[in-house]
Amino acid sequence: TTNLLPTIMEEDRVSQQQASKYCIIHEDEEVEREAAECRLETALEEGFDVIIIEPLWLGDETVRWIKFGNFLHKTSVLSCLGVVACAPLLSPSLSSLLLHAPLGSLGIACAALYNLSWQFDPCCKYQVDYKGTELTAVPSNRLVSPSPLVLVRRNDIYRRILHNSLTLSVIAIVGWKVYKYYLQ
């Protein structure tokens, strides 16, 4: 995959300092779909700060993938927060268990799916820059498309810590509620 990096950067002829900052995947009618996807995958694995995607179809697929990962993360965090916030308020009764078990299961299932499918995907480290603030750093003569998709690399370590801490808390809370209700 590292052999594809020179072909990505070959078209741009940018300095080494700029090369480590951004990567442009140009829209080219001669390039096959698989080649463009391979270029994107290589750019993601190389960890560029900004990736600019000009092919509309590739940008749409990438946005859908990132949005679905964000949806899983947010669903997990919000449902786990609901369980954690309500845990001290409700006694270990059947009604409490009926609230915590489905909400906790949803959070745990979304967290498990996220951790198994998205955690190791290099695309999960990127977010879409809808405002285009990162696009101003790229010389306009380098772009072919009038409205490219801009991906910005974000540090997601705190997001993962929050995500996994809440999930472990929910496992403990729901387990405690089940223990209290059924075994005592």
Side-chain angles (χ1 to χ4, degrees), residues 66-77 110 114 159:
I66 290 173
K67 280 184 177 182
F68 189 68
N70 289 343
F71 169 76
L72 284 177
H73 168 73
K74 288 177 184 176
T75 302
S76 174
V77 167
C110 287
Y114 182 88
R159 175 176 152 149

Side-chain angles (χ1 to χ4, degrees), residues 22-170:
Y22 71 89
C23 173
I24 301 173
I25 300 173
H26 289 289
E27 187 165 17
D28 189 0
E29 294 173 5
E30 296 174 8
V31 176
E32 292 183 18
R33 192 173 185 95
E34 292 84 23
E37 289 172 351
C38 193
R39 286 180 177 179
L40 174 61
E41 190 68 31
T42 302
L44 291 169
E45 288 173 1
E46 290 294 322
F48 285 94
D49 294 335
V50 177
I51 299 175
I52 300 165
I53 304 172
E54 289 188 337
L56 183 62
W57 59 270
L58 185 58
D60 287 344
E61 287 177 11
T62 306
V63 166
R64 270 187 256 125
W65 185 252
I66 290 173
K67 280 184 177 182
F68 189 68
N70 289 343
F71 169 76
L72 284 177
H73 168 73
K74 288 177 184 176
T75 302
S76 174
V77 167
L78 291 176
S79 60
C80 288
L81 273 175
V83 171
V84 170
C86 292
L89 304 176
L90 301 172
S91 64
S93 64
L94 180 60
S95 61
S96 168
L97 193 57
L98 290 176
L99 171 70
H100 285 111
L103 200 55
S105 297
L106 175 66
I108 292 167
C110 287
L113 186 58
Y114 182 88
N115 286 335
L116 293 175
S117 299
W118 273 265
Q119 182 175 354
F120 303 110
D121 186 348
C123 199
C124 80
K125 296 187 182 307
Y126 288 87
Q127 293 296 319
V128 179
D129 179 24
Y130 290 107
K131 296 179 182 176
T133 55
E134 295 293 330
L135 199 55
T136 58
V138 179
S140 60
N141 62 349
R142 302 262 187 238
L143 301 175
V144 177
S145 172
S147 58
L149 174 73
V150 180
L151 300 179
V152 180
R153 186 174 173 88
R154 301 279 188 230
N155 183 1
D156 67 338
I157 189 70
Y158 300 113
R159 175 176 152 149
R160 285 187 191 182
I161 290 171
L162 171 71
H163 181 87
N164 292 323
S165 298
L166 283 173
T167 303
L168 291 174
S169 299
V170 166

